[in-house]
Amino acid sequence: MKKRLFALLCACVLVCSLLTACGSDKTETDSKQTDQEAADHVAELIDAIYVQERTDDTDKQCEEAKKAWDALTDEQKELVSGENADPDYFGRDTGDASKDDPLNADDIGDNELLVVSFGTSFNDSRVEDIGGVEKALQKAYPEWSVRRAFTAQIIINHIQARDGEKIDNMEQALQRAVDNKVKNLVIQPTHLMHGAEYDELTEAVEDYKDQFESVKIAEPLLGEVGSDAVVINADKEAAAKAVAAEAVKTAKYDSLDAAKEDGTAFVFLGHGTSHTAKVSYSQMQTQMEKLGYENIFIGTVEGEPEETACEEVIDAVKEAGYKKVVLRPLMVVAGDHAHNDMAGDDEDSWKSMFEASKAFDSIDTQITGLGGIKAVQDIYVAHTAEVINN
């Protein structure tokens, strides 16, 4: 009898243990499902504002996305994944946004200098590169009110959602100028060339130009495009000298020739484009050669033009016999492309692909935009002077 009771007791204990284990597994499964659902909801909200068009719901959507993100646990944040959403959208530290001035104040006066940039969500780069150009222009033209506009609504939304900073898009900035009864409007693009972003800027201005006494658009950094790869100009020469000098200084060489003797090549990485203005990159390579800068090579993230693709540039640097490489952006802003496509650790970044080639002894990166270089700022100041004084 006692044996039967003991066996029954053991069976009960076993059943209870199994039920407890099953219950624990179910609870853990339910918890994981809840975590994923919360993360997926945030991903949907991020994807909803990762768009190039502002709507009447944009402000509310940005606020909802940040509120939902803040409500997640650290573990849930790591699960965020969508078409464009990932944990870095809100989680990556890009610097202190409070140091940036969105330049969206009213009380503009008769004369406005609107500085138009593609934009960046990297706070430190926005302050250093875009802010650097804006401050240089304000210092040069104190009688004009400098204001800001970005052409990338995706970036505007990112900054607004994450940091609560509101930056005008082109339409908002132009309407602000109209509302403030601005008479004379000068627009200075910080774009590199007469590419797609510049075209969109000029199209936006068309709808507003009749509401001002005068509207003038200054040249982008590299000036006129030119007809083919060998056409260069004074702007390209000035930009080439500026970025080369800064790269050499940052690499702690006395001169570009000293870097060459040390077996070091500099690769300047632009964005690249399918626009006809892509010839500007080929022209910059021509300009480097005209200046005798034999150890400088031009590449692009997009690989357009073809000779600027990473594989092509690696071959060119290797064939020239250089064993050390310094990568640096040929971009006004050292933003996502500089940090990730150029200097990131993923296997498809330029740094990783240069390392994977096994052809070089060292690969260094300089994550600094053109906008922070005084000589580049001076080019923009000169372009603005051309339209203000004529």
Side-chain angles (χ1 to χ4, degrees):
M1 184 70 175
K2 290 182 179 179
K3 290 181 179 180
R4 290 175 62 188
L5 287 173
F6 179 74
L8 183 61
L9 179 61
C10 289
C12 289
V13 170
L14 178 60
V15 170
C16 288
S17 297
L18 290 172
L19 289 173
T20 300
C22 289
S24 177
D25 288 345
K26 186 177 185 303
T27 300
E28 184 177 350
T29 300
D30 289 346
S31 177
K32 288 182 178 179
Q33 183 176 347
T34 300
D35 287 346
Q36 190 61 62
E37 288 174 352
D40 289 346
H41 176 58
V42 172
E44 290 175 1
L45 293 174
I46 292 174
D47 285 339
I49 56 176
Y50 203 95
V51 292
Q52 192 55 21
E53 182 179 356
R54 178 178 173 81
T55 70
D56 292 339
D57 295 325
T58 296
D59 290 340
K60 180 182 178 181
Q61 288 175 314
C62 288
E63 184 178 341
E64 287 178 346
K66 182 60 161 60
K67 184 177 180 181
W69 166 264
D70 288 342
L72 296 180
T73 64
D74 290 341
E75 291 77 12
Q76 289 171 338
K77 289 175 179 177
E78 290 301 316
L79 299 174
V80 173
S81 179
E83 183 178 354
N84 295 293
D86 60 38
D88 281 346
Y89 188 87
F90 283 115
R92 184 168 188 169
D93 182 9
T94 65
D96 186 355
S98 68
K99 294 179 180 179
D100 185 41
D101 185 349
L103 295 176
N104 58 3
D106 292 318
D107 300 321
I108 298 172
D110 290 343
N111 303 316
E112 177 181 345
L113 174 50
L114 180 61
V115 183
V116 181
S117 306
F118 177 81
T120 180
S121 61
F122 280 72
N123 293 329
D124 285 346
S125 298
R126 194 166 63 256
V127 171
E128 179 71 17
D129 299 329
I130 295 175
V133 174
E134 293 166 341
K135 289 182 177 66
L137 289 167
Q138 186 63 85
K139 181 179 180 181
Y141 308 105
E143 69 278 14
W144 289 71
S145 295
V146 172
R147 295 293 182 268
R148 171 192 290 177
F150 283 179
T151 54
Q153 188 67 45
I154 289 172
I155 289 174
I156 293 172
N157 291 353
H158 191 173
I159 298 166
Q160 180 175 337
R162 185 189 62 198
D163 304 311
E165 177 181 344
K166 293 184 178 181
I167 295 172
D168 285 347
N169 60 27
M170 275 297 293
E171 184 178 353
Q172 288 173 309
L174 290 169
Q175 188 59 52
R176 186 184 300 279
V178 171
D179 293 343
N180 277 263
K181 297 179 172 53
V182 170
K183 295 179 180 178
N184 305 303
L185 179 65
V186 167
I187 298 173
Q188 176 61 67
T190 67
H191 303 126
L192 202 66
M193 61 187 70
H194 284 267
E197 294 294 325
Y198 185 90
D199 290 347
E200 290 177 14
L201 179 158
T202 56
E203 289 173 8
V205 172
E206 280 296 312
D207 295 332
Y208 285 85
K209 66 178 184 179
D210 293 336
Q211 301 188 57
F212 305 98
E213 291 183 12
S214 70
V215 178
K216 298 177 180 179
I217 303 176
E219 286 290 323
L221 181 62
L222 301 181
E224 290 292 340
V225 176
S227 57
D228 57 48
V230 298
V231 176
I232 52 180
N233 58 28
D235 292 325
K236 292 180 177 67
E237 180 179 355
K241 289 180 176 178
V243 68
E246 198 67 21
V248 168
K249 177 182 175 183
T250 303
K252 300 188 185 311
Y253 286 108
D254 292 334
S255 66
L256 190 59
D257 286 339
K260 181 182 176 181
E261 290 175 9
D262 193 40
T264 298
F266 293 90
V267 175
F268 296 136
L269 184 63
H271 183 276
T273 177
S274 58
H275 192 280
T276 54
K278 66 183 179 182
V279 72
S280 299
Y281 294 108
S282 302
Q283 291 166 348
M284 283 299 287
Q285 185 66 65
T286 299
Q287 181 65 75
M288 296 299 181
E289 294 166 1
K290 290 284 187 181
L291 289 168
Y293 297 171
E294 296 178 357
N295 53 333
I296 290 182
F297 300 81
I298 306 296
T300 66
V301 174
E302 298 293 331
E304 292 195 64
E306 292 181 2
E307 70 270 16
T308 63
C310 189
E311 296 83 358
E312 297 294 327
V313 176
I314 288 174
D315 288 343
V317 176
K318 184 167 56 175
E319 289 173 11
Y322 297 103
K323 302 300 292 183
K324 300 177 183 179
V325 176
V326 177
L327 300 171
R328 185 183 177 105
L330 186 65
M331 307 174 191
V332 176
V333 174
D336 184 70
H337 290 303
H339 285 83
N340 296 325
D341 297 315
M342 186 189 80
D345 293 326
D346 291 345
E347 63 181 16
D348 60 347
S349 77
W350 277 57
K351 184 188 75 168
S352 295
M353 287 191 282
F354 265 84
E355 289 172 343
S357 73
K358 306 294 184 182
F360 309 102
D361 296 334
S362 66
I363 311 295
D364 294 321
T365 60
Q366 299 177 358
I367 308 178
T368 306
L370 298 174
I373 302 173
K374 184 182 183 303
V376 169
Q377 295 168 4
D378 290 343
I379 298 173
Y380 286 119
V381 169
H383 284 177
T384 301
E386 289 172 6
V387 295
I388 286 180
N389 299 328
N390 292 313

